[in-house]
């Protein structure tokens, strides 16, 4: 990444609260502007992550999602509107991000990520966020990230709780299989469709995912590598587990 791309005068005004933030400032903002982030899934977790990454000034966002917006999505997938029902989620999320911040470059992919295309979609990204809802896709994304040496921010939610972590074996952290062994299957995991999800829980976890991506892009703070942060909405509590 080239970190010496100057901010325009409009960007300087837009990101003013970042620029005066001690421990962040112009150097970190330029790193954000140079960053290329791929978000897999523009649903409950991808929505807040996309919104905050675009607002923060990530230079380039790629969004991958094969689905279309449905009415039942709108309780939690906040980048989509009632008018977007029936349109592709990637296009809808891209329209939101572009309207929020025209300085963000966008690549929109209305397709599922598979073993055949994962490397192609991931190779040009600096950081990958996975907010998908099944282990098959998560394993495909994780395997490609591990092979290509890319950090992976992973979030998951169910009912009243959620969790977020960062997989970065190339930085010395544990692999995806350390948390989700090969024997684990979707049948053993609670389904949002079957069990429900309280909308703001996805906002909490998706925003934490955006924060982890910003930390990785800028070098500010300590990412959740090898640490699983768990949120319980009913108790308003966070706990952290090592793995």
């Amino acid at each position: 990444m080239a970190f010496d791309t100057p901010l325009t005068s409009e960007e300087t005004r837009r990101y003013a609260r970042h620029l005066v933030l001690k421990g962040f400032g112009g150097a970190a903002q330029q790193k954000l502007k140079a960053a290329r982030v791929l978000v897999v899934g523009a649903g409950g977790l991808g929505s807040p992550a996309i919104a905050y990454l675009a607002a923060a000034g990530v230079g380039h966002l790629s969004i991958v999602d094969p689905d279309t917006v449905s009415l039942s999505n709108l309780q939690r997938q906040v980048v989509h509107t009632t008018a977007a029902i029936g349109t592709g989620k990637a296009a809808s999320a891209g329209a939101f991000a572009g309207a929020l911040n025209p300085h963000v470059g966008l690549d929109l992919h209305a397709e599922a990520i598979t073993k055949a295309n994962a490397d192609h979609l991931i190779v040009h990204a600096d950081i990958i966020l996975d907010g998908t809802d099944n282990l098959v896709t998560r394993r495909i994304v994780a395997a490609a990230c591990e092979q290509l040496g890319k950090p992976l921010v992973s979030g998951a939610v169910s009912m009243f709780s959620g969790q977020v972590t960062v997989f970065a074996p190339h930085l010395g952290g544990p692999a995806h299989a350390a948390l989700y062994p090969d024997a684990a299957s979707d049948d053993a995991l609670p389904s949002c469709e079957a069990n429900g999800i309280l909308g703001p829980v996805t906002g909490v976890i998706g925003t934490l995912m955006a924060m982890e991506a910003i930390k990785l892009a800028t070098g500010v703070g300590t990412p959740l590598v090898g640490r699983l942060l768990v949120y319980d909405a009913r108790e308003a509590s966070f706990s952290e587990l090592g793995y």
Side-chain angles (χ1 to χ4, degrees):
M1 293 184 292
F3 300 144
D4 56 353
T5 305
L7 301 177
T8 66
S9 59
E10 198 278 340
E11 287 175 307
T12 300
R13 295 193 301 274
R14 179 181 289 270
Y15 308 129
R17 300 303 182 271
H18 281 176
L19 299 180
V20 300
L21 179 60
K22 291 182 179 179
F24 197 86
Q29 191 64 48
Q30 286 184 312
K31 290 179 181 179
L32 273 185
K33 184 174 180 176
R36 301 178 66 88
V37 177
L38 170 67
V39 180
V40 184
L45 295 174
S47 286
I50 289 165
Y52 272 99
L53 290 172
V58 166
H60 194 278
L61 274 175
S62 294
I63 302 170
V64 181
D65 197 310
D67 293 334
T68 57
V69 180
S70 65
L71 183 60
S72 63
N73 298 149
L74 303 184
Q75 157 256 14
R76 64 199 179 281
Q77 299 181 18
V78 294
V79 297
H80 310 301
T81 66
T82 302
I85 291 173
T87 64
K89 287 186 180 179
S92 174
F96 178 95
L100 180 61
N101 189 348
H103 298 285
V104 177
L106 295 165
D107 275 334
L108 310 175
H109 303 273
E111 59 185 312
I113 195 162
T114 65
K115 289 182 179 179
N117 66 11
D119 286 1
H120 172 73
L121 291 170
I122 288 170
V123 68
H124 297 297
D126 301 309
I127 301 157
I128 293 81
L129 280 69
D130 185 356
T132 58
D133 59 2
N134 67 88
L135 281 173
V136 172
T137 302
R138 287 173 175 269
R139 289 190 176 110
I140 290 171
V141 174
C145 288
E146 185 170 348
Q147 179 180 348
L148 295 168
K150 308 286 186 176
L152 171 61
V153 182
S154 178
V157 292
S158 179
M159 300 175 70
F160 298 94
S161 65
Q163 61 188 48
V164 60
T165 190
V166 175
F167 298 107
H170 64 292
L171 299 178
H176 187 266
L179 189 59
Y180 298 105
D182 292 341
S185 69
D186 287 317
D187 294 337
L189 299 177
S191 160
C192 286
E193 186 174 352
N195 296 306
I197 177 68
L198 190 63
V201 173
T202 64
V204 172
I205 301 302
T207 303
L208 287 170
M209 292 171 69
M211 187 67 245
E212 291 304 301
I214 290 170
K215 287 157 63 178
L216 288 162
T218 62
V220 173
T222 305
L224 284 167
V225 177
R227 298 183 292 147
L228 182 71
L229 188 64
V230 180
Y231 171 61
D232 184 329
R234 286 178 293 190
E235 300 299 324
S237 67
F238 285 93
S239 57
E240 185 179 304
L241 306 172
Y243 61 92

